[in-house]
């Protein structure tokens, strides 16, 4: 809310190659449409968040991207490959962390991972070493030989990520990764996602926990009833749905009317919401703090305080779905 | 490819081509087999069943020893008697196996597929670079190998106890006959293994799958005999009491009873372990003309006699596995 991540405001490196792509992707179960004409492109190195209520078709989309479910129609390309035709090549390079990840409870963490390493055809020595590294990185080295049955939800989740690291994937797909984690563990997990992004891994995650998505995702897509309603960076969405989104609170002493008109004249300012007792709330399409400051100083006012509220995904989400339902009812 | 990626929404509808998957369907098969076998061999439920079979084998052999020691010198197939002789209160070892083997096989396989779902490991495992084929076949083979391992160990144990107890080595024909018996037993187990997998694919609850498997087993063990005679009486009734009618009814009854894997197994083991058996059906006096009753058949003739039963067991195993395979391939992965 308060802190603006420069990452989420910056546009994604659009020039880079698209590693995940869905074109007019549709999945029907009998008469029910789970995914309806989905179009989605994720560029290399991006963190993309699929947002939507439960049952919106997020998991089905993910399964189609992995080739675990066949699309009814449409096209999917993962790293340029068709997951329905070439699932082995796709699955060798894409890591998947399902929601509520499960392990063989009676086996130790190490045995669980070495089974996965064997399924991936890793040579024994490589596997041993990678398991060690991945477990260490996830902070599970003390429990490596304990049965997974004794693990907490957060530890299982980290073991799930250790398994992903084992494959050294180019893309990681996570389904509701922070669901059921306590706040501290969830924060740790978000840090981890940022680390993975730094390693150059493309990440697609689905969630309905908006704060968390906003904290890590470069771009998000709002999902509802099998349709991708709208997608872009959080700032773009705020722009389109809230008509602006950055709320800048300026506290200034001096000629209030002059200051107000100077602020209104700034490019990018949509409106001034409240003006009371030397305080102005400007709604703008970007972070206008610097401009506002110089405007206040320019008309001879004294700048007392300056603050910015970044647009929140909660607000966008609520507004969007309210508009969507109103539109449907009208 | 790279050019079309830029404008995803504008591109014309593209059909998904799902024909011809790339990569071998058996990638990762041996990883699955290894893991599953390790699971089976270390699981408590397997160990309980192994102890059960072991006790049975020791009991049966001990009982037989009491019986046959006196006749060692006259009987050319004394080792085969170890498997087939019943002595109160012990039934023959073969009889024990005919109902213990299904139990083991069902115990191994009833949670093969649905267990992965309930532990939520299915999507994680299938997200690895393997096909579903490898997972299912791997699980089946692991079950079959485990069964083979246990049965072979017990076979060796019985032979060993026989050598110690009787004080003479088995001859070649005895070894050959009992090995074929071993193969028949393994495939008899294979049928129930595949059946367990079918149920574990159909039912999401492992308990339901186990019950379904056990019901089928009970049905064939206890009720099939009654059903058979009832059906035979309905299908070929004896109206006037002619010998032809009675014969036809008996033949119908036998044909129906052979739909049961138990019948196939019992006939197959009888044919191979008892060299004196020359037919499973009714023998008319005309067929016995010139035969020395009780004279043993040569090995090749015994094999010929039980061949249909043996292939029947193998075929049923393959058919049931194919059914499980089709069901599993069509299953949605999300729970």
């Amino acid at each position: 809310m308060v802190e603006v991540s420069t990452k989420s405001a910056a546009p994604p490196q659009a020039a880079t190659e698209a590693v995940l792509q869905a074109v007019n992707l549709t999945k029907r179960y009998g008469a029910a449409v789970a995914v309806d004409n989905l179009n989605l492109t994720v560029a290399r190195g991006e963190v993309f968040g699929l947002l939507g209520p439960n049952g919106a078709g997020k998991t089905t989309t993910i399964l189609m991207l992995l080739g675990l479910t066949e699309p009814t129609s449409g096209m999917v390309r993962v790293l340029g490959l068709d997951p329905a035709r070439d699932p082995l090549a796709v699955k060798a390079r894409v890591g998947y962390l399902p929601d509520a990840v499960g392990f063989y409870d009676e086996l130790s963490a190490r045995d669980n991972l070495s089974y996965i390493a064997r399924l991936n055809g890793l040579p024994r020595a490589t596997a041993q070493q990678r398991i060690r590294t991945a477990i260490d990185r996830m902070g599970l080295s003390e429990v490596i030989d304990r049965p997974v049955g004794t693990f907490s939800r957060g530890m299982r989740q980290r073991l799930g990520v250790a398994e992903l690291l084992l494959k050294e994937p180019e893309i990681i797909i996570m389904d509701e990764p922070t669901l059921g984690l306590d706040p501290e563990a969830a924060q740790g997990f978000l840090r981890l996602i940022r680390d993975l992004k730094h390693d150059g891994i493309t990440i697609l995650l689905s969630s309905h926990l908006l704060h968390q998505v906003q904290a890590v995702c470069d771009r998000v897509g709002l999902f509802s009833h099998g349709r991708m309603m709208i997608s872009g960076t959080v700032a773009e969405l705020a722009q389109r749905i809230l008509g602006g989104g950055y709320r800048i609170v300026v506290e200034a002493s001096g000629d209030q009317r002059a200051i107000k008109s100077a602020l209104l004249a700034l490019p990018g300012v949509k409106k001034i919401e409240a003006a009371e007792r030397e305080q102005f709330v400007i709604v703008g399409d970007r972070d206008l703090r610097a401009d506002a400051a110089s405007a206040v100083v320019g008309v001879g006012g004294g700048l007392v305080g300056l603050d910015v509220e970044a647009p929140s995904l909660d607000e966008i989400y609520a507004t969007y779905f309210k508009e969507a339902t109103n539109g449907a009812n009208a | 490819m790279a050019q079309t990626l830029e404008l995803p929404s504008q591109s014309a509808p593209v059909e998904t081509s799902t024909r011809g998957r790339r990569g071998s369907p058996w990638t990762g098969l041996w990883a699955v087999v290894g893991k599953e076998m390790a699971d089976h061999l270390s699981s408590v439920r397997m160990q309980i069943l192994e102890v059960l079979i072991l006790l049975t084998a020791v009991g049966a052999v001990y009982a037989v020893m009491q019986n046959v020691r006196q006749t060692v010198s006259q009987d050319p197939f004394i080792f085969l008697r170890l498997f087939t002789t019943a002595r109160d209160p012990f039934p023959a070892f073969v009889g024990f196996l005919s109902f213990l083997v299904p139990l083991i096989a069902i115990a191994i396989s009833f949670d093969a597929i649905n267990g992965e779902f309930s532990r939520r490991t299915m999507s994680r495992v299938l997200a690895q670079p393997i096909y579903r084929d490898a997972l299912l076949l791997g699980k089946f083979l692991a079950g079959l190998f485990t069964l083979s391992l246990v049965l072979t160990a017990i076979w060796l144990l019985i032979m060993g106890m026989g050598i110690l107890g009787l004080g003479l080595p088995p001859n070649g024909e005895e070894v050959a006959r009992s090995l074929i018996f071993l193969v028949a037993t393994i495939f008899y187990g294979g049928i129930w293994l595949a059946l367990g997998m079918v149920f574990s694919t159909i039912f999401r609850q492992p308990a339901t799958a186990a019950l379904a498997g056990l019901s089928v087993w009970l049905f064939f063990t206890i009720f099939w005999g009654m059903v058979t005679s009832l059906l035979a009486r309905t299908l070929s009734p004896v109206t006037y009491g002619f010998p032809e009618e009675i014969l036809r009814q008996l033949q119908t009854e036998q044909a129906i009873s052979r739909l049961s894997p138990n019948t196939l197994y019992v006939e197959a083991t009888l044919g191979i372990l008892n060299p004196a058996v020359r037919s499973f059906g009714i023998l008319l006096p005309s067929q016995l003309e010139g035969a020395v009753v009780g004279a043993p058949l040569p090995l090749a003739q015994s094999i010929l006699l039980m061949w249909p039963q043996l292939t029947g067991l193998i075929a049923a195993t393959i058919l049931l596995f194919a059914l499980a395979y089709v069901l599993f391939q069509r299953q949605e992965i999300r729970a």
Side-chain angles (χ1 to χ4, degrees), chain B residues 2-335:
Chain B
Q3 283 78 11
T4 60
L5 290 182
E6 302 302 297
L7 296 166
S9 47
Q10 269 84 22
S11 50
V14 195
E15 86 288 6
T16 33
S17 70
T18 53
R19 302 292 143 251
R21 304 177 302 177
R22 260 178 242 150
S24 160
W26 312 125
T27 315
L29 176 67
W30 296 109
V32 177
V33 171
K35 189 254 173 198
E36 294 292 326
M37 261 192 94
D39 278 2
H40 289 321
L41 294 176
S42 59
S43 75
V44 178
R45 83 170 87 122
M46 246 340 266
Q47 284 160 2
I48 292 173
L49 290 167
E50 279 163 22
V51 169
L52 204 64
I53 290 207
L54 200 73
L55 289 178
T56 316
V58 173
V61 169
Y62 176 76
V64 173
M65 286 303 182
Q66 308 291 311
N67 218 13
V68 297
R69 248 194 210 139
Q70 299 87 356
T71 57
V72 170
S73 50
Q74 294 115 36
D75 197 333
F77 295 108
I78 190 75
F79 272 87
L80 300 182
R81 298 272 176 274
L82 293 176
F83 296 99
T84 53
T85 308
R87 184 173 192 262
D88 274 342
F90 293 100
F93 184 61
V94 174
F96 260 129
L97 279 190
S98 77
F99 70 84
L100 269 184
V101 166
L103 209 59
I104 303 173
I106 292 171
I108 287 177
S109 64
F110 77 92
D111 64 348
I113 300 300
N114 50 22
E116 297 275 350
F117 278 111
S118 62
R119 279 178 293 190
R120 296 184 154 275
T121 44
M122 185 58 96
S123 55
R124 208 169 50 84
V125 167
L126 287 184
Q128 309 309 323
I130 60 164
Y131 280 114
R132 292 186 195 192
D133 316 48
L135 187 69
L136 192 74
L137 186 66
K139 278 174 175 285
F140 179 74
L141 286 183
L144 205 60
F145 290 164
T146 309
L147 206 61
S148 313
L149 197 72
V150 172
L151 291 173
T152 308
I154 284 167
W155 179 85
L156 286 170
L157 186 79
I158 291 180
M159 291 308 252
M161 286 192 297
I163 294 172
L164 285 179
L166 299 171
L168 64 146
N171 62 36
E173 191 173 336
E174 282 172 321
V175 173
R177 280 175 184 271
S178 58
L179 273 178
I180 293 169
F181 156 71
L182 185 63
V183 171
T185 310
I186 289 167
F187 277 99
Y188 175 56
I191 291 180
W192 296 99
L193 204 61
L195 186 76
M197 294 199 104
V198 169
F199 285 135
S200 92
T201 316
I202 296 176
F203 300 113
R204 274 297 156 92
Q205 297 297 325
T208 318
L211 269 178
L214 290 177
S215 316
V216 174
W217 169 66
L218 262 182
F219 174 73
F220 278 124
T221 312
I222 295 175
F223 298 109
W224 191 243
M226 307 174 203
V227 173
T228 309
S229 59
L230 215 73
L231 275 178
R233 258 179 261 166
T234 325
L235 290 175
S236 21
V238 180
T239 327
Y240 304 106
F242 293 141
E244 290 86 351
E245 282 182 329
I246 298 170
L247 188 64
R248 188 152 10 96
Q249 191 179 58
L250 284 173
Q251 280 166 342
T252 314
E253 190 170 340
Q254 193 176 31
I256 297 171
S257 83
R258 277 180 183 158
L259 292 178
S260 156
N262 298 33
T263 311
L264 288 182
Y265 176 64
V266 167
E267 286 188 356
T269 50
L270 200 66
I272 198 69
L273 287 181
N274 193 345
V277 169
R278 39 186 70 213
S279 164
F280 300 124
I282 321 108
L283 273 180
L284 297 179
S286 58
Q287 289 171 301
L288 275 177
E289 223 174 80
V292 184
V293 177
L297 286 183
L299 177 59
Q301 290 300 311
S302 283
I303 293 176
L304 210 58
L305 180 66
M306 55 85 74
W307 191 249
Q309 274 75 8
L310 184 64
T311 47
L313 289 173
I314 297 174
T317 302
I318 294 172
L319 275 179
L320 281 168
F321 179 72
L323 179 63
Y325 183 87
V326 170
L327 289 172
F328 184 52
Q329 290 287 341
R330 292 180 169 197
Q331 202 161 43
E332 283 295 335
I333 286 309
R334 63 180 313 174

Side-chain angles (χ1 to χ4, degrees), chain A residues 291-326:
Chain A
D291 306 77
S294 54
V296 170
V297 175
V299 295
L303 189 62
V304 180
L306 194 58
D307 204 358
V308 67
E309 288 174 10
S312 99
L313 206 45
D314 275 321
E315 216 173 324
I316 297 171
Y317 192 82
T319 313
Y320 185 80
F321 283 107
K322 198 165 71 190
E323 277 172 11
T325 32
N326 286 348

